[in-house]
Amino acid sequence: MPYRRLPNTDTARIKALKTAINKCNKTDFNDVIISMKTLYKAKTIVGKFERACTIYNDTYQTQIRANKSFQRKIANARMYLSHFVQVLHMSVIRGEIKSENLALYGLENNDLLVPDMSTNDLLLEWGNKIINGEEQRIAEGGVPIYNPTIAKVKVMYSIFKDGDKTQKIHRKATFRTQSDVSDLRAEVDEIVLAIWNQVEEANSKLPLEKKIKKNSEYGVVYYYRKGERVK
């Protein structure tokens, strides 16, 4: 015995609604087996839901494209900051910079190791500490570190920081549009269920094969279990 399964993707939901609406539009008014109230709800929601899905997909793709560029900005900022810290530590080892100055960078307890900058938040935190520390040390009369200079590090960090802000905006937009789709999804499912129930009830006395065919014209989807065959 075949069983029906409600749409489990947004594309399938839209298709189910449009199939039922199109079938009704091509059927004589007196022969339409879906109530006018349900049909009106279907026509009202399908365009709204499809637009919400389109906006979400567009927003999500924008986030994906922006993220590809952002990954390069992350890598550059992490590379320059890590390199700068390594040069700073070498300068301390050679005695060119006093070890006490490491406190300016928040590196006094790091055992001359590069701090963890594996996440964006840590990269933001340490980037700010290292840049401020170098600028303060120079302001107190210290010799600037070269290769890389703090100016170059600051440029890469600023590009990353701006990119991080942009990505957060993209993520918020994606989450908002995804929520809009989710809010409509329950209503869509309710309408699809109402349509399918009405169609099955109207054709309930037909032979199985004919009933399945008639119901399918309104978008009802049936599945056969493994080993079953259409009789």
Side-chain angles (χ1 to χ4, degrees), residues 147-163:
N147 193 27
T149 63
I150 197 61
K152 184 65 175 178
V153 173
K154 194 172 183 178
V155 168
M156 293 301 173
Y157 176 75
S158 295
I159 292 173
F160 155 72
K161 189 175 180 179
D162 290 342

Side-chain angles (χ1 to χ4, degrees), residues 143 182 191:
V143 178
S182 297
I191 295 171

Side-chain angles (χ1 to χ4, degrees), residues 17-80:
L17 289 172
K18 286 187 173 182
T19 300
I21 292 169
N22 290 336
K23 176 62 178 176
C24 292
N25 289 340
K26 295 176 182 178
T27 302
D28 185 87
F29 179 81
N30 293 322
D31 295 328
V32 173
I33 58 179
I34 298 174
S35 72
M36 290 299 103
K37 181 179 180 181
T38 301
L39 184 57
Y40 174 77
K41 287 182 177 180
K43 290 180 176 180
T44 301
I45 197 68
V46 67
K48 189 176 181 181
F49 186 64
E50 189 170 23
R51 284 192 299 274
C53 289
T54 298
I55 292 172
Y56 164 67
N57 288 330
D58 289 346
T59 305
Y60 180 67
Q61 290 304 317
T62 298
Q63 179 187 334
I64 294 298
R65 288 192 297 270
N67 188 58
K68 291 180 180 178
S69 172
F70 181 51
Q71 292 305 311
R72 292 193 296 272
K73 297 173 183 177
I74 295 173
N76 286 337
R78 184 175 292 123
M79 177 179 64
Y80 272 84

Side-chain angles (χ1 to χ4, degrees), residues 127-147:
N128 188 58
K129 287 181 179 180
I130 291 165
I131 290 169
N132 288 341
E134 177 68 357
E135 290 179 342
Q136 184 176 345
R137 189 180 64 81
I138 293 172
E140 293 175 356
V143 178
I145 289 176
Y146 293 95
N147 193 27

Side-chain angles (χ1 to χ4, degrees), residues 21 99 103 183 196:
I21 292 169
S99 59
D183 290 343
W196 288 16

Side-chain angles (χ1 to χ4, degrees), residues 180-224:
D180 292 340
V181 172
S182 297
D183 290 343
L184 290 170
R185 197 173 284 140
E187 185 177 354
V188 169
D189 287 345
E190 182 180 341
I191 295 171
V192 171
L193 178 61
I195 291 172
W196 288 16
N197 285 343
Q198 290 172 31
V199 169
E200 287 197 325
E201 182 179 356
N203 296 325
S204 61
K205 296 182 180 180
L206 296 175
L208 179 61
E209 186 176 350
K210 189 173 182 180
K211 178 172 64 176
I212 291 175
K213 182 179 178 182
K214 287 287 186 181
N215 292 351
S216 297
E217 292 175 358
Y218 282 87
V220 183
V221 179
Y222 292 96
Y223 294 87
Y224 286 86

